Amino acid sequence: MSTQSTSVKPLAGNKKPVVTKSWKGNIREYGMLIALVVIMLFFQVLTDGVLLKPLNLTNLVLQNSYIIIMAIGMLLVIVAGHIDLSVGSVVGFVGALAAVLMVNFNWPMIPTVIVCLIAGGLIGAAQGYWVAYYRIPAFIVTLAGMLVFKGLTLALLNGQSVGPFPESFQRLSSGFIPDLFGEGGFHVTSFLIGILLIAFLFITGYRQRQKQIAHEIAVESLQVFLIKNGVLSLAAGYILYLLSTYQGLPNVLIIMALLISAYTFFTNKTIVGRRIYAIGGNEKAALLSGINTKRLTFLTFANMGVLAALAGMVFAARLNTATPKAGLAFELDVIAAVFIGGASMQGGVGKVIGAVVGALVMGVMNNGMSIMGLGIDWQQVIKGLVLLAAVIFDVYNKNKST
């Protein structure tokens, strides 16, 4: 018996929800969430419970924070129909810049962070300029940027590692929010913040569903909505509980949560966000409809540069040193995370939360295979096969829908 809901047309004067086919209409989103849960359970069993231990969960967040930050920016680039191969080199260059300013020249943290973010924005803008206004393929421009900033990183550091960073800068990646209700034991403040956030997201999702019903927009059935959000809330609450039994919420997790919320709002609720999707879907049609495609492409790359700079500082703060090889091959993990999260190679399709889930899938696989002692050679093989499977899945669904 089929469990899918059928389409229902609302009667005049009666605000009944327009129910869509819940699974097929959201196959990317649901599929990746289910895959993430299955992968976590798989490695939880194979690692004898080590994966979900509070210490390892905290390390999982810290180890993948910079990938998630860059995946958010890369999503917009890919949605717009382009790609950025230089992000790993920008991470290394910005980390080196922060080290030189703070360690060698004794700059305070705040001015250093501002300068580094501006530098990242200028790098992204410079690359976006050639892509947007001179129509040079992004692959070529950012490949050149990869080589340029690898060389500049070596020159800036004179081929040597520079560190350590001041403690205030280290807390950007390795610090935790303080507990206002005491010290030691269970981290009450983190748990309360997390519960309030989960409740806020649940209420926000329900209110959004009611607005869609009021405007006669197709929505998932109430049963599916409650089951989906209930399961997600319980899972998030359990992870939150485990983190609270250790040191609570890391500072970088708060940064990521703010970025995810801001960019989700930007892509779903703003005109500019929707126009970026329009560019990736059909650039000629977007141009004919009055969208300034060149300016938006330019801003998309500038935004990627800023987020790559932020990721570079987070990574440098975690290592507590800037090294010439920092950021090596990061672009591969970032691009893989976005595609695994459901973005389309042709552009115009993808969600922020999907990119985050894709990054978590990659992170859990890396962490789980490392705990199991699997060699780096086989780790790369498995990650490559997962990426290939995600792209094949995307092409299959695109061909099936057409």
Side-chain angles (χ1 to χ4, degrees), residues 65-66 91 173 310-321 323 325-327 330:
S65 55
Y66 41 89
V91 164
S173 177
L310 176 59
M313 288 185 286
V314 169
F315 182 69
R318 174 165 173 76
L319 289 184
N320 197 23
T321 186
T323 66
K325 292 187 177 181
F330 278 10

Side-chain angles (χ1 to χ4, degrees), residues 294-358:
K294 293 180 178 179
R295 183 175 64 184
L296 285 182
T297 299
F298 171 80
L299 293 176
T300 299
F301 277 91
N303 173 76
M304 181 71 256
V306 172
L307 291 181
L310 176 59
M313 288 185 286
V314 169
F315 182 69
R318 174 165 173 76
L319 289 184
N320 197 23
T321 186
T323 66
K325 292 187 177 181
L328 183 64
F330 278 10
E331 61 277 352
L332 302 181
D333 284 339
V334 174
I335 293 169
V338 175
F339 282 134
I340 290 173
S344 172
M345 296 179 297
Q346 286 78 26
V349 175
K351 292 183 178 181
V352 171
I353 192 63
V356 174
V357 171

Side-chain angles (χ1 to χ4, degrees), residues 6-12 14 16-19 216:
T6 56
S7 299
V8 179
K9 186 178 181 62
L11 301 175
N14 186 13
K16 289 184 178 180
V18 183
V19 181
E216 300 184 0

